[in-house]
Amino acid sequence: MISVVAPVYNEAAILPTFVTEIEQALTALSPKIIWEIVLVDDGSTDGTEELLDELASKSTGSLKIIHLCRNFGHGPAISAGLDNARGAAVILMDSDLQDDPAAFRAFLENWLDGYDAVYAIRTSRRESLPVRMAIAGFYRLVQAISDITIPRNAGTFSLMDRRLVDVLRSMPERNRFLPGLRAWAGFRQTGVPVSRRARHDRRSRVGLRGLWRLSMNAVFSFSYFPIFIFRALGGLALLCCFALAIFVLYQKLRSGNPLSALTSQMFTILLFSGINLVGIGVIGEYVARIYDELKARPGYIINRIKEAAPAVDTPDHTPTPP
Ligand code: UDP
Ligand code: MG
């Protein structure tokens, strides 16, 4: 069995198209494959909730809807989907028509060849130039500073084998960067080129704030580089102070007058107090993350589950051969 998992947040306009597209792509794969679609309604407010229930009642295939009790965000919605998928392999994708189901075939072929993860590498993007540049810069930065190799231009759109899904599910961490965790887990992984389609309404649901949070997760969960920078700056500051002390002493010995120091003092104080404050901010970020993990609140809460096929309360994770 293959599960397709997608988070949904206010996508009523294209949901029927999306579900039809996925069903067609799955049916076209092979008659031997059993599949299910798991859609997670992440607290939508535009009628998506009712529409999803309606689609589930009408569906002839297996459509499972997980309604979360509020908007938790893209990452937690994906976790809810993974926790409720039963397939021997799980395909993760967005529900805004940006991820092309034509990639399913390549995913499946690589999986059958023994890969545990097959992720889409975005070959082209339909976003504006500044967004594309920011994304390219982000991937380069993460690749440069992270302790593991996170593939560039690979997002959530991927197929994962059950054992990889179970590894991800067993990780209790809350602020997740899925492409990083997927790479961290290891096993056999490969990428396939997939061009990314344009968003149907050009209005990102994740938004700039969500992207910022995600990039902070990527940086802080996979690297101690921010702390290293401040260690290096601290060392540099000490060297500067040392050099300045020698310079002042030299001036005093040569001319008899110590350096008139108001401007240089102002400069030094501002520079180093600035460095200190940003450094404290960086430590604060790590501390806040430790606090988040300590609070150990659930990442999401399910309001109710609606299933087209007869309801099964606990997911059966026994892998079945395709
Ligand atoms: N999404 C979600 N909860 C949110 C924001 C987004 O479930 O709080 C879903 C959204 O419906 C879409 C996917 O996550 O299917 C990716 O969102 P979006 O397209 O806004 O992200 P972008 O492609 O702009 O990074
Ligand atoms: Mg999108």
Side-chain angles (χ1 to χ4, degrees), residues 72-87:
F72 282 91
H74 182 241
I78 284 178
S79 300
L82 287 181
D83 289 345
N84 286 278
R86 282 167 294 194

PDB file of all heavy atoms in Angstrom, residues 72-87:
ATOM      1  N   PHE A  72      -2.103  24.581  13.022  1.00  0.00           N
ATOM      2  CA  PHE A  72      -0.828  24.311  13.699  1.00  0.00           C
ATOM      3  C   PHE A  72       0.368  24.637  12.818  1.00  0.00           C
ATOM      4  O   PHE A  72       1.488  24.734  13.302  1.00  0.00           O
ATOM      5  CB  PHE A  72      -0.749  22.843  14.127  1.00  0.00           C
ATOM      6  CG  PHE A  72      -1.545  22.535  15.361  1.00  0.00           C
ATOM      7  CD1 PHE A  72      -2.860  22.130  15.263  1.00  0.00           C
ATOM      8  CD2 PHE A  72      -0.988  22.666  16.621  1.00  0.00           C
ATOM      9  CE1 PHE A  72      -3.609  21.853  16.395  1.00  0.00           C
ATOM     10  CE2 PHE A  72      -1.725  22.393  17.765  1.00  0.00           C
ATOM     11  CZ  PHE A  72      -3.038  21.989  17.654  1.00  0.00           C
ATOM     12  N   GLY A  73       0.151  24.749  11.505  1.00  0.00           N
ATOM     13  CA  GLY A  73       1.272  25.018  10.596  1.00  0.00           C
ATOM     14  C   GLY A  73       1.617  23.798   9.757  1.00  0.00           C
ATOM     15  O   GLY A  73       1.233  22.677  10.071  1.00  0.00           O
ATOM     16  N   HIS A  74       2.361  24.070   8.699  1.00  0.00           N
ATOM     17  CA  HIS A  74       2.719  23.054   7.708  1.00  0.00           C
ATOM     18  C   HIS A  74       3.413  21.832   8.339  1.00  0.00           C
ATOM     19  O   HIS A  74       3.003  20.689   8.096  1.00  0.00           O
ATOM     20  CB  HIS A  74       3.622  23.757   6.680  1.00  0.00           C
ATOM     21  CG  HIS A  74       4.077  22.907   5.554  1.00  0.00           C
ATOM     22  ND1 HIS A  74       5.400  22.659   5.326  1.00  0.00           N
ATOM     23  CD2 HIS A  74       3.403  22.258   4.596  1.00  0.00           C
ATOM     24  CE1 HIS A  74       5.524  21.879   4.254  1.00  0.00           C
ATOM     25  NE2 HIS A  74       4.313  21.639   3.787  1.00  0.00           N
ATOM     26  N   GLY A  75       4.424  22.063   9.178  1.00  0.00           N
ATOM     27  CA  GLY A  75       5.197  20.962   9.760  1.00  0.00           C
ATOM     28  C   GLY A  75       4.352  20.032  10.629  1.00  0.00           C
ATOM     29  O   GLY A  75       4.314  18.813  10.386  1.00  0.00           O
ATOM     30  N   PRO A  76       3.649  20.585  11.647  1.00  0.00           N
ATOM     31  CA  PRO A  76       2.810  19.719  12.473  1.00  0.00           C
ATOM     32  C   PRO A  76       1.721  18.997  11.657  1.00  0.00           C
ATOM     33  O   PRO A  76       1.397  17.845  11.945  1.00  0.00           O
ATOM     34  CB  PRO A  76       2.174  20.697  13.471  1.00  0.00           C
ATOM     35  CG  PRO A  76       3.160  21.809  13.572  1.00  0.00           C
ATOM     36  CD  PRO A  76       3.766  21.939  12.210  1.00  0.00           C
ATOM     37  N   ALA A  77       1.180  19.664  10.631  1.00  0.00           N
ATOM     38  CA  ALA A  77       0.147  19.015   9.814  1.00  0.00           C
ATOM     39  C   ALA A  77       0.743  17.795   9.106  1.00  0.00           C
ATOM     40  O   ALA A  77       0.104  16.742   9.006  1.00  0.00           O
ATOM     41  CB  ALA A  77      -0.433  19.997   8.796  1.00  0.00           C
ATOM     42  N   ILE A  78       1.982  17.927   8.642  1.00  0.00           N
ATOM     43  CA  ILE A  78       2.650  16.787   8.002  1.00  0.00           C
ATOM     44  C   ILE A  78       2.851  15.659   9.016  1.00  0.00           C
ATOM     45  O   ILE A  78       2.608  14.486   8.717  1.00  0.00           O
ATOM     46  CB  ILE A  78       4.008  17.230   7.405  1.00  0.00           C
ATOM     47  CG1 ILE A  78       3.758  18.002   6.121  1.00  0.00           C
ATOM     48  CG2 ILE A  78       4.916  16.035   7.140  1.00  0.00           C
ATOM     49  CD1 ILE A  78       5.016  18.515   5.476  1.00  0.00           C
ATOM     50  N   SER A  79       3.252  16.011  10.242  1.00  0.00           N
ATOM     51  CA  SER A  79       3.432  14.983  11.274  1.00  0.00           C
ATOM     52  C   SER A  79       2.119  14.239  11.514  1.00  0.00           C
ATOM     53  O   SER A  79       2.103  13.008  11.641  1.00  0.00           O
ATOM     54  CB  SER A  79       3.891  15.600  12.597  1.00  0.00           C
ATOM     55  OG  SER A  79       5.103  16.268  12.407  1.00  0.00           O
ATOM     56  N   ALA A  80       1.011  14.989  11.579  1.00  0.00           N
ATOM     57  CA  ALA A  80      -0.294  14.353  11.796  1.00  0.00           C
ATOM     58  C   ALA A  80      -0.589  13.372  10.658  1.00  0.00           C
ATOM     59  O   ALA A  80      -1.099  12.270  10.887  1.00  0.00           O
ATOM     60  CB  ALA A  80      -1.387  15.418  11.871  1.00  0.00           C
ATOM     61  N   GLY A  81      -0.244  13.769   9.428  1.00  0.00           N
ATOM     62  CA  GLY A  81      -0.473  12.899   8.273  1.00  0.00           C
ATOM     63  C   GLY A  81       0.380  11.644   8.355  1.00  0.00           C
ATOM     64  O   GLY A  81      -0.110  10.530   8.152  1.00  0.00           O
ATOM     65  N   LEU A  82       1.657  11.822   8.687  1.00  0.00           N
ATOM     66  CA  LEU A  82       2.563  10.665   8.761  1.00  0.00           C
ATOM     67  C   LEU A  82       2.097   9.688   9.839  1.00  0.00           C
ATOM     68  O   LEU A  82       2.169   8.474   9.672  1.00  0.00           O
ATOM     69  CB  LEU A  82       3.997  11.125   9.083  1.00  0.00           C
ATOM     70  CG  LEU A  82       4.761  11.834   7.964  1.00  0.00           C
ATOM     71  CD1 LEU A  82       6.160  12.204   8.436  1.00  0.00           C
ATOM     72  CD2 LEU A  82       4.853  10.949   6.725  1.00  0.00           C
ATOM     73  N   ASP A  83       1.600  10.240  10.965  1.00  0.00           N
ATOM     74  CA  ASP A  83       1.154   9.377  12.063  1.00  0.00           C
ATOM     75  C   ASP A  83      -0.088   8.576  11.696  1.00  0.00           C
ATOM     76  O   ASP A  83      -0.412   7.591  12.362  1.00  0.00           O
ATOM     77  CB  ASP A  83       0.850  10.223  13.317  1.00  0.00           C
ATOM     78  CG  ASP A  83       2.127  10.775  13.931  1.00  0.00           C
ATOM     79  OD1 ASP A  83       3.210  10.277  13.559  1.00  0.00           O
ATOM     80  OD2 ASP A  83       2.047  11.702  14.752  1.00  0.00           O
ATOM     81  N   ASN A  84      -0.815   9.020  10.682  1.00  0.00           N
ATOM     82  CA  ASN A  84      -2.063   8.343  10.342  1.00  0.00           C
ATOM     83  C   ASN A  84      -2.022   7.627   8.998  1.00  0.00           C
ATOM     84  O   ASN A  84      -3.054   7.182   8.507  1.00  0.00           O
ATOM     85  CB  ASN A  84      -3.222   9.347  10.365  1.00  0.00           C
ATOM     86  CG  ASN A  84      -3.588   9.699  11.781  1.00  0.00           C
ATOM     87  OD1 ASN A  84      -4.318   8.960  12.439  1.00  0.00           O
ATOM     88  ND2 ASN A  84      -3.038  10.796  12.297  1.00  0.00           N
ATOM     89  N   ALA A  85      -0.837   7.553   8.405  1.00  0.00           N
ATOM     90  CA  ALA A  85      -0.705   6.858   7.126  1.00  0.00           C
ATOM     91  C   ALA A  85      -0.344   5.402   7.391  1.00  0.00           C
ATOM     92  O   ALA A  85       0.391   5.110   8.324  1.00  0.00           O
ATOM     93  CB  ALA A  85       0.379   7.529   6.298  1.00  0.00           C
ATOM     94  N   ARG A  86      -0.889   4.508   6.570  1.00  0.00           N
ATOM     95  CA  ARG A  86      -0.648   3.089   6.829  1.00  0.00           C
ATOM     96  C   ARG A  86       0.238   2.429   5.784  1.00  0.00           C
ATOM     97  O   ARG A  86       0.558   1.255   5.882  1.00  0.00           O
ATOM     98  CB  ARG A  86      -1.992   2.354   6.882  1.00  0.00           C
ATOM     99  CG  ARG A  86      -2.709   2.565   8.184  1.00  0.00           C
ATOM    100  CD  ARG A  86      -4.132   2.100   8.108  1.00  0.00           C
ATOM    101  NE  ARG A  86      -4.903   2.932   7.163  1.00  0.00           N
ATOM    102  CZ  ARG A  86      -6.220   2.928   7.082  1.00  0.00           C
ATOM    103  NH1 ARG A  86      -6.913   2.126   7.848  1.00  0.00           N
ATOM    104  NH2 ARG A  86      -6.844   3.706   6.228  1.00  0.00           N
ATOM    105  N   GLY A  87       0.598   3.173   4.727  1.00  0.00           N
ATOM    106  CA  GLY A  87       1.291   2.563   3.598  1.00  0.00           C
ATOM    107  C   GLY A  87       2.684   2.036   3.922  1.00  0.00           C
ATOM    108  O   GLY A  87       3.314   2.459   4.886  1.00  0.00           O
TER     109      GLY A  87
END
